Amino acid sequence: MQARYKTYFKWTAMIAGGSLAGMVMIAMAAYMYLAPLLPSAETYRNVQLETPLRIYTSDNRLIDEIGNRRNPVAYEDIPQILTDALIATEDVRFYSHPGVDIQSLLRGFYGFIRGERRGGGSTITMQLANNLSFDSDNVYLRKFKEIPFALQIQRELSKEEILTLYLNTIYFGAGADGIGAAAFVYYGKDVSELTLAESAMMISLLPCPSACNPLTSPERSIERRETRLRNMLKEGMISREEFQVADNAPITALRRNRNIEVPAPYVAEMVRQQLFDEYDEDTYSQGFEVTTSIDGDKQLAANQALTEGLEIYYDKRHGYRGADANYPPNPLEPNEFWLQHLQPISAFGNQQPAIVTNVEERSFTALLKTGESVQVEWEGMSWAYTFRSRNEAWPPPETASDAVEIGDLVRVKQKDGQWELGQVPDVQAALVSMSPTNGGIIALVGGYDFRRSQVNRVLTPRPPGSNFKPFLYGAALEEGYSPASTINDAPITRGDYRPHNYENNFLGPITLRYALKESRNVPAVRLYDQLTSSKVLPFAAKFGFQTQNFPRNDLTVALGSQDVQPLEIVTAYSALANGGFKVDPWFIKEITSDTDGLIYQSNPLTVCENCQTSQDKTTEIVVPAPRIVDARVVYILNSMLRSVIVEGSGSRVNRELQRGDLMGKTGTTNGPTELWFSGFNRDIATTVFVGFDQPEPLGEREQGATVAVPIWIDYMRHALDGMPENTMKRPDGIVDLLIDKTTGEAATPGETNAVFEYFRTENAPQTPDSRLPSVELNEEETEELSTETIF
């Protein structure tokens, strides 16, 4: 028996020794493999200051802040209560272990075997090792890698240096890397000024900085703060009285960074992309401050005009498409059940997600994700005709239950203190406003809501329709035509192509002024056919259109069939507004950085009468914009675009704004799938585009005048508020002569329909019977015209 025990113990000892030797060999092999991969102290000891990219309007209001903030602090500046809160919560044996706590690791491993949650076993030093180097989806593999690095850190740094490095590198949420930045972001103070309650709150953020912080989840953050305070009380770090005072302290955290004053996310993304192309990841940490050309007040007006315009002028007119979903009430706790469904749903535009909790005959009650209940009266929902198609919305609601029912996930918005039933538009739009003087972008909105879609439609090419026609007519004026030149509004066929007018009729001979004012398609095609692409496309190219991509001898170009960006359109119209000078679009005024100060200053092409060209270093040198078109051509074309506003498709502009300095042109493509309006005075040019991202008909009743024009009006009403009327000055070399406004022929005073028309001096008729330039019909078209109805 004794021999048997000896043999047993002998084999047990051998197995244990072999296992231990094997574990040591595995550990040594792992260390030898990982040791060369471990960073040296020099690479992580010093934490650098990081300041996010900040983007401002031209009047110094914050548009956005991109990146995280880091403001390293010294150990001497960290209050004892903060390190105590950290140690009491994360690593109570911090000062006694060598960077790895075997007891905690075994406890964590035992919990893993038993399927119990007993903590992960990571020390502060191991967490620091992970923050500085390793990352893995597998928590236990990550810990295996952390161990040798933690041991190395322990050898190379003191305990105080480890605490300092940990607190300077850990993420605290709200864009704050490190405790120095977090103290400022949440409390607006230096880390040394943090109170016990604030210190405990900071440490409570570490496992879940985004979901647990006092800004997004105040109730949860109070519970987590209490746990940290109890840990400190348990370890004897604070007294019972200190615990009570800190536990009862109210939440005072407010986000002190990224207080956006002028939301312009599409502008911010344009800035971010431009800087990233040059500075890569340093874009987000080197303290770049970018001042843009954006006018803060005008940007706010543009945001509101586009958001509300899409809702009012298009989406509501086409009916209510119904609830996004329906969640039948939980009979035990319906509000909590509904709130759980609301939390992940974002607000878009000015519309909040809500769930209908009660329906009366002419009103309903809805629950917001904040827990607040709101009442929607009949006036706020009577618009909700049932959507049937883009061309039909019927029938109208007669009671609230015709539109909503309990459990419906809907959208609501507040207007003038009253809540309304809303609906997130499925159509999109863009608005861009520019200074004709130097091309600076004054306001830019690339879509209904950046959170819903980051596609910047200001930069997305789409067919402009009749928005392109001014450049066809401008080419004609440059070739010697005048607004009084006649063109036959009569059928034209080229191969299989046979254009038609929106009204599906023909008017016979009309003047160019009338043809542009009424946006007649057939006369435009006929004019393009006579001028040819060799004359029209080079003229349009002067204004910035990428006509090298346009097809030659394609008559549909006359009607704006080729894709162009809204930014291209507004740039071209800016050249009309400024009298014929080429300006380039730009949006970055200056860039500074923390280390280098001013690193970029814009100096755009500028339209000016007396540009400073001296080499006096105290005077800013202006780069004069080059003239691209005869001023007289532009002046006459502008007068034709003024006719569009006074009595054409843009007459709503004249009725509502009642200004004598506005010109512009609508645009509507086949379908219609795109709606446009571009207009200007001498100070501001603005383009509005409306359409689906995947082109589809908007509805047979829609035109540029029905949606794009009122959005443009709403923006320009604010943009021009308080600004005197301002138009291009009349250049020399233009004469006014009487003509018959219907036939375009020279007239004498007192004749019916006699009006004054503009002519370039060299092209003006010298006698009443002088022949004006016109677009001729060939013999075949004359015969065809005789078979068509003219009315």
Side-chain angles (χ1 to χ4, degrees):
M1 180 69 69
Q2 189 173 5
R4 186 182 303 171
Y5 279 122
K6 286 183 178 179
T7 302
Y8 174 77
F9 283 121
K10 177 182 177 181
W11 281 103
T12 301
M14 290 176 63
I15 291 172
S19 299
L20 180 61
M23 292 174 64
V24 170
M25 291 176 66
I26 292 173
M28 290 179 63
Y31 182 79
M32 291 178 66
Y33 171 75
L34 292 173
L37 305 178
L38 303 178
S40 62
E42 288 73 20
T43 64
Y44 60 77
R45 185 189 298 271
N46 297 317
V47 181
Q48 299 299 313
L49 173 72
E50 293 184 7
T51 306
L53 166 65
R54 294 173 68 85
I55 303 166
Y56 296 92
T57 63
S58 61
D59 47 340
N60 206 37
R61 288 189 274 177
L62 184 65
I63 288 176
D64 204 354
E65 182 176 289
I66 305 174
N68 294 337
R69 178 181 295 276
R70 176 176 280 130
N71 184 18
V73 296
Y75 179 76
E76 295 75 20
D77 296 325
I78 302 173
Q80 181 70 36
I81 50 176
L82 183 66
T83 55
D84 284 349
L86 175 64
I87 291 169
T89 301
E90 299 292 331
D91 189 358
V92 292
R93 285 185 291 278
F94 174 73
Y95 285 107
S96 60
H97 62 64
V100 177
D101 190 344
I102 302 299
Q103 180 178 338
S104 295
L105 284 174
L106 291 175
R107 183 183 68 247
F109 182 71
Y110 179 73
F112 171 72
I113 297 296
R114 296 289 301 273
E116 300 173 356
R117 191 170 182 176
R118 293 173 173 258
S122 285
T123 64
I124 289 174
T125 314
M126 291 173 66
Q127 292 179 43
L128 175 61
N130 181 58
N131 293 341
L132 294 175
S133 183
F134 298 114
D135 187 18
S136 172
D137 293 334
N138 187 305
V139 63
Y140 296 99
L141 179 60
R142 187 170 69 243
K143 291 186 186 305
F144 178 71
K145 292 179 178 180
E146 289 171 7
I147 291 172
F149 191 20
L151 294 171
Q152 175 180 310
I153 291 173
Q154 186 70 47
R155 290 196 307 271
E156 294 179 334
L157 302 180
S158 67
K159 292 289 186 181
E160 291 75 17
E161 288 176 316
I162 291 171
L163 285 174
T164 304
L165 190 56
Y166 179 90
L167 288 169
N168 274 330
T169 56
I170 200 74
Y171 182 59
F172 285 87
D177 271 325
I179 189 60
F184 167 76
V185 168
Y186 287 100
Y187 298 109
K189 59 175 65 174
D190 188 82
V191 65
S192 61
E193 301 171 328
L194 292 176
T195 66
L196 173 58
E198 293 165 348
S199 297
M201 182 66 79
M202 290 290 91
I203 299 305
S204 76
L205 301 178
L206 298 183
C208 49
S210 297
C212 304
N213 73 64
L215 304 177
T216 59
S217 184
E219 292 184 4
R220 186 179 181 187
S221 69
I222 288 178
E223 294 174 0
R224 295 180 62 81
R225 182 184 69 179
E226 180 185 1
T227 301
R228 274 63 187 166
L229 291 169
R230 288 194 182 279
N231 291 339
M232 297 176 73
L233 180 64
K234 177 182 176 182
E235 297 299 325
M237 296 174 173
I238 58 174
S239 66
R240 171 66 63 177
E241 182 181 357
E242 289 173 319
F243 169 82
Q244 293 291 350
V245 172
D247 190 40
N248 292 327
I251 292 179
T252 58
L254 294 172
R255 187 162 187 166
R256 268 108 178 150
N257 70 330
R258 208 172 178 271
N259 291 323
I260 293 176
E261 299 171 84
V262 179
Y266 292 97
V267 175
E269 177 60 13
M270 290 167 67
V271 171
R272 186 201 68 79
Q273 287 180 355
Q274 185 155 323
L275 265 68
F276 188 82
D277 288 344
E278 185 168 353
Y279 300 103
D280 204 62
E281 293 296 331
D282 285 347
T283 298
Y284 312 121
S285 61
Q286 298 305 302
F288 290 114
E289 292 197 349
V290 179
T291 301
T292 68
S293 57
I294 298 297
D295 181 295
D297 289 339
K298 292 179 176 59
Q299 179 66 41
L300 293 173
N303 293 343
Q304 182 177 1
L306 187 140
T307 300
E308 294 188 355
L310 278 184
E311 297 168 5
I312 297 169
Y313 304 125
Y314 182 83
D315 200 63
K316 282 187 173 182
R317 290 174 47 237
H318 288 266
Y320 183 54
R321 297 186 297 278
D324 295 336
N326 183 272
Y327 301 105
N330 183 317
L332 298 179
E333 295 179 337
N335 278 18
E336 284 200 16
F337 170 74
W338 281 327
L339 283 172
Q340 290 176 3
H341 286 286
L342 282 170
Q343 290 313 307
I345 301 174
S346 299
F348 291 130
N350 54 13
Q351 307 199 43
Q352 304 295 321
I355 290 180
V356 178
T357 59
N358 184 53
V359 180
E360 302 292 340
E361 183 177 1
R362 290 258 167 157
S363 66
F364 69 87
T365 305
L367 179 70
L368 304 181
K369 64 192 299 182
T370 60
E372 177 189 1
S373 289
V374 299
Q375 186 85 3
V376 177
E377 301 296 341
W378 183 249
E379 293 75 15
M381 61 181 300
S382 59
W383 65 270
Y385 285 50
T386 302
F387 172 84
R388 293 186 179 276
S389 72
R390 299 290 172 204
N391 298 317
E392 182 183 8
W394 192 263
E398 296 182 358
T399 65
S401 60
D402 289 338
V404 299
E405 61 181 83
I406 292 175
D408 274 357
L409 173 60
V410 298
R411 297 281 173 168
V412 294
K413 66 175 187 176
Q414 196 170 27
K415 185 175 182 180
D416 300 328
Q418 301 297 316
W419 287 94
E420 300 178 353
L421 175 65
Q423 180 171 253
V424 176
D426 52 3
V427 71
Q428 284 288 353
L431 184 154
V432 58
S433 190
M434 178 179 286
S435 166
T437 298
N438 61 16
I441 295 176
I442 298 170
L444 184 150
V445 187
Y448 177 75
D449 191 299
F450 186 80
R451 293 166 296 183
R452 189 177 182 217
S453 171
Q454 288 77 53
V455 175
N456 189 345
R457 293 153 193 89
V458 168
L459 305 177
T460 303
R462 297 290 288 267
S466 297
N467 229 214
F468 181 76
K469 285 180 181 175
F471 306 96
L472 164 64
Y473 285 84
L477 295 177
E478 189 172 65
E479 289 301 310
Y481 292 77
S482 77
S485 297
T486 55
I487 185 169
N488 233 312
D489 185 3
I492 178 173
T493 301
R494 292 292 183 268
D496 294 332
Y497 180 57
R498 183 183 177 90
H500 64 274
N501 294 311
Y502 178 81
E503 299 82 358
N504 287 316
N505 64 358
F506 300 96
L507 302 179
I510 57 176
T511 64
L512 294 193
R513 180 180 292 276
Y514 187 87
L516 181 59
K517 180 192 72 171
E518 297 298 326
S519 199
R520 305 291 291 181
N521 289 337
V522 174
V525 171
R526 190 177 294 281
L527 180 61
Y528 187 90
D529 186 44
Q530 179 150 330
L531 290 171
T532 74
S533 60
S534 64
K535 297 290 177 57
V536 177
L537 297 188
F539 181 85
K542 297 177 186 179
F543 291 83
F545 292 109
Q546 302 301 306
T547 57
Q548 71 273 14
N549 301 320
F550 288 17
R552 268 53 185 170
N553 303 316
D554 182 348
L555 297 183
T556 66
V557 172
L559 306 182
S561 64
Q562 302 305 301
D563 290 352
V564 298
Q565 297 174 341
L567 185 60
E568 289 179 76
I569 289 284
V570 78
T571 303
Y573 274 77
S574 291
L576 298 180
N578 66 32
F581 294 91
K582 181 67 174 75
V583 291
D584 296 320
W586 60 277
F587 53 91
I588 294 180
K589 188 174 182 179
E590 67 176 36
I591 304 174
T592 63
S593 74
D594 285 345
T595 54
D596 300 321
L598 181 65
I599 59 178
Y600 172 79
Q601 179 77 50
S602 66
N603 191 15
L605 297 174
T606 302
V607 179
C608 52
E609 295 181 1
N610 299 303
C611 289
Q612 175 59 250
T613 58
S614 73
Q615 298 303 310
D616 180 2
K617 294 183 178 180
T618 63
T619 303
E620 183 179 353
I621 305 301
V622 174
V623 182
R627 174 167 290 286
I628 54 175
V629 184
D630 187 323
R632 297 173 300 166
V633 169
V634 177
Y635 185 84
I636 294 171
L637 180 58
N638 283 356
S639 77
M640 297 167 70
L641 293 174
R642 175 63 187 163
S643 295
V644 175
I645 300 300
V646 173
E647 51 186 354
S649 57
S651 59
R652 183 170 178 172
V653 173
N654 201 46
R655 292 196 307 270
E656 295 199 22
L657 297 184
Q658 298 183 358
R659 293 179 63 109
D661 60 343
L662 298 177
M663 302 104 181
K665 184 70 187 75
T666 53
T668 306
T669 61
N670 287 338
T673 55
E674 290 89 11
L675 309 176
W676 297 76
F677 185 73
S678 296
F680 58 89
N681 74 348
R682 178 59 185 84
D683 298 315
I684 303 175
T686 302
T687 290
V688 173
F689 157 80
V690 178
F692 291 103
D693 284 343
Q694 298 300 320
E696 62 178 89
L698 290 153
E700 59 189 18
R701 294 171 296 175
E702 301 301 352
Q703 305 175 50
T706 61
V707 186
V709 165
I711 292 175
W712 188 92
I713 290 171
D714 288 349
Y715 165 69
M716 292 292 277
R717 179 181 288 112
H718 291 278
L720 295 172
D721 186 35
M723 297 177 67
E725 293 190 1
N726 190 11
T727 59
M728 172 189 175
K729 294 180 180 178
R730 176 169 172 162
D732 295 333
I734 290 179
V735 295
D736 306 65
L737 296 176
L738 278 173
I739 65 158
D740 184 297
K741 69 177 183 180
T742 302
T743 66
E745 296 177 354
T748 56
E751 288 187 17
T752 305
N753 287 336
V755 295
F756 280 102
E757 185 56 274
Y758 296 120
F759 296 87
R760 285 192 285 168
T761 303
E762 65 272 24
N763 296 331
Q766 302 303 312
T767 62
D769 59 349
S770 295
R771 184 172 176 80
L772 298 173
S774 62
V775 180
E776 301 292 344
L777 288 173
N778 61 36
E779 186 175 327
E780 177 185 342
E781 290 166 341
T782 303
E783 293 176 359
E784 184 177 8
L785 177 59
S786 66
T787 66
E788 298 284 347
T789 302
I790 305 296
F791 60 95

